[in-house]
Amino acid sequence: MAWMAWTWPTAAFFVTIGSLLVLMTVLAVARPEVPRVGILRIETTRGDRLFISLLGSAFLCLGWLALMGPPLWGALALCLIYAAAVFRWV
Amino acid sequence: MEKSWNNRAWFLVLPVLALVAFSAVVPLMTVVNYSVQDTFGNNEFFWAGLEWFEETVTSERIHAALGRQVLFTAIILAIEVPLGIFVALHMPKKGFWASLCLILMAMPLLIPFNVVGTIWQIFGRVDIGLLGRTLTALGIDYNYTNDWLDAWVTVIVMDVWHWTSLVALLCYAGLQSIPEAYYQAAKIDQASRWAVFRYIELPKMRGVLLIAVLLRFMDSFMIYTEPFVVTGGGPGNSTTFLSIDLVKMAIGQFDLGPAAAFSIIYFLVILLISWVFYTVMTNLDREDRP
């Protein structure tokens, strides 16, 4: 696989996303998803909330990069807070 | 009777999953992988971290291309969606003329993108093109190769010419599925033409309109071939939309790292806007229901 020039950070990134998906699948089997309506007044399931968290986090990181520049540790903390808020209220 | 629940059927989609992984997921992962590295060819890569992302989000060139792209897509949607609905409402409902209309409307959709570009490239030329010569003869100073406004008008009219019939055909299909009883009820209530459109036809077209808006948004936001053939992104950079800029960067300059970072951001923007469209339009539907 050397010709594809994989790096450890990319691997870590995809392993994180992959394990999140596996975790959600296991959760969905153990405790089936129930849609609910939150502050956005749209119906969301757990999977929808994960999608909103990930997509929003990507834009938070880009915004941080545009305004403050690297490193992104602050943005990562912000993303975690944002994701927790999405899972709690959306 | 209690139905048994068995999720094992999901294993049957594994071959598709493998195929999609091979043809889409892994290539997408490769793009992410390239976006954090730099290469000078010879398949040697160097770690660059977030440098390309930082460069992309602060680049004036990309901001300008994004601005042009958003403007282009907004204009396209603002023209094609109402025009498509208007055309669909006025198409014959059945008989010979309905079939003829459908065939004529489908024609532009069958023409390959680069041929559409070539048709308009020649059509608009002031020396040998019918449109260009006619406008010049009428005393209008039209030249899409050196005036940015003319180039924009040409590219927009070309897209409207190419894609309005898609919106019209989808809306037509939506209209055909409305039972006659709805119109009879409206007639009994002496509903105006506008009320019939607003409370019967528009709600019934919502499903197809969602598809039409999403398709037109994504297609126009990723438009490449037609403006590339007609204007080549010019004059200057005035019709350099996002994908034209991206191809220049990736293949013209062979800047794989910056181009990869650019494509990821491009993808995220499309994903976000498509999700917003989809969510808003499906939830509008839900709120209407009692």
Side-chain angles (χ1 to χ4, degrees):
Chain A
M1 295 291 266
W3 56 277
M4 285 179 99
W6 293 108
T7 61
W8 280 111
T10 350
F13 174 74
F14 283 117
V15 166
T16 311
I17 305 257
S19 18
L20 274 175
L21 291 178
V22 170
L23 179 72
M24 292 305 277
T25 312
V26 173
L27 266 180
V29 172
R31 299 176 57 187
E33 308 204 356
V34 186
R36 68 147 194 246
V37 178
I39 48 162
L40 287 179
R41 291 177 50 235
I42 55 170
E43 207 175 68
T44 53
T45 61
R46 220 182 288 134
D48 292 329
R49 293 194 283 277
L50 177 69
F51 176 77
I52 298 170
S53 308
L54 287 178
L55 190 60
S57 302
F59 280 97
L60 278 177
C61 288
L62 288 176
W64 183 284
L65 214 50
L67 299 173
M68 325 269 259
L72 284 181
W73 297 115
L76 196 63
L78 208 61
C79 290
L80 288 176
I81 296 170
Y82 167 74
V86 167
F87 271 86
R88 177 69 187 80
W89 287 297
V90 170
Chain B
M1 193 187 90
E2 188 79 8
K3 274 188 186 168
S4 66
W5 193 257
N6 191 339
N7 267 331
R8 262 175 297 181
W10 282 106
F11 285 119
L12 294 176
V13 297
L14 276 179
V16 177
L17 204 67
L19 203 64
V20 171
F22 183 76
S23 66
V25 180
V26 176
L28 195 63
M29 287 165 73
T30 318
V31 175
V32 175
N33 191 41
Y34 283 169
S35 72
V36 289
Q37 300 184 76
D38 195 8
T39 183
F40 304 102
N42 207 18
N43 211 17
E44 278 183 70
F45 285 86
F46 304 92
W47 176 250
L50 294 166
E51 201 181 322
W52 306 133
F53 284 95
E54 204 185 353
E55 195 181 285
T56 308
V57 290
T58 51
S59 155
E60 301 245 323
R61 166 183 163 181
I62 292 168
H63 288 173
L66 179 66
R68 284 190 290 267
Q69 185 68 68
V70 169
L71 184 65
F72 176 76
T73 298
I75 295 175
I76 288 297
L77 286 178
I79 297 175
E80 286 176 13
V81 174
L83 187 63
I85 295 175
F86 180 82
V87 171
L89 286 174
H90 292 84
M91 272 165 73
K93 293 274 181 285
K94 49 185 145 228
F96 168 76
W97 292 106
S99 315
L100 185 74
C101 270
L102 285 176
I103 292 169
L104 286 178
M105 299 289 287
M107 293 285 260
L109 301 175
L110 299 176
I111 305 175
F113 292 39
N114 51 350
V115 178
V116 172
T118 314
I119 291 174
W120 280 81
Q121 208 263 355
I122 295 171
F123 188 47
R125 276 174 65 162
V126 281
D127 52 350
I128 57 165
L130 185 62
L131 176 72
R133 281 206 80 122
T134 311
L135 288 176
T136 312
L138 289 171
I140 299 166
D141 183 24
Y142 167 85
N143 190 336
Y144 69 80
T145 53
N146 58 23
D147 184 280
W148 69 269
L149 187 63
D150 293 351
W152 265 79
V153 171
T154 311
V155 173
I156 286 169
V157 173
M158 172 176 67
D159 200 85
V160 169
W161 177 88
H162 194 181
W163 289 112
T164 303
S165 40
L166 176 76
V167 182
L169 289 177
L170 283 170
C171 290
Y172 185 72
L175 284 175
Q176 292 289 65
S177 69
I178 303 176
E180 194 54 38
Y182 282 80
Y183 292 107
Q184 287 164 356
K187 214 170 219 171
I188 292 169
D189 289 345
Q190 294 191 317
S192 64
R193 182 71 194 85
W194 168 253
V196 171
F197 173 70
R198 172 66 188 80
Y199 296 104
I200 297 175
E201 290 167 334
L202 201 57
K204 286 281 172 191
M205 278 195 292
R206 185 172 286 139
V208 286
L209 266 181
L210 168 67
I211 296 172
V213 169
L214 273 179
L215 279 178
R216 282 319 300 137
F217 162 72
M218 287 187 287
D219 266 356
S220 66
F221 211 78
M222 297 187 287
I223 192 165
Y224 176 76
T225 318
E226 295 135 298
F228 180 75
V229 173
V230 176
T231 63
N237 274 332
S238 61
T239 52
T240 301
F241 301 123
L242 283 175
S243 49
I244 295 183
D245 211 14
L246 179 60
V247 171
K248 266 187 199 167
M249 195 184 275
I251 296 171
Q253 300 157 218
F254 204 69
D255 281 335
L256 285 190
F262 185 176
S263 351
I264 291 169
I265 296 173
Y266 195 175
F267 171 69
L268 287 173
V269 171
I270 292 184
L271 198 59
L272 175 72
I273 303 179
S274 300
W275 179 79
V276 169
F277 271 146
Y278 180 80
T279 309
V280 168
M281 293 182 85
T282 46
N283 278 281
L284 277 178
D285 194 28
R286 201 164 285 137
E287 273 168 26
D288 276 4
R289 275 187 230 143

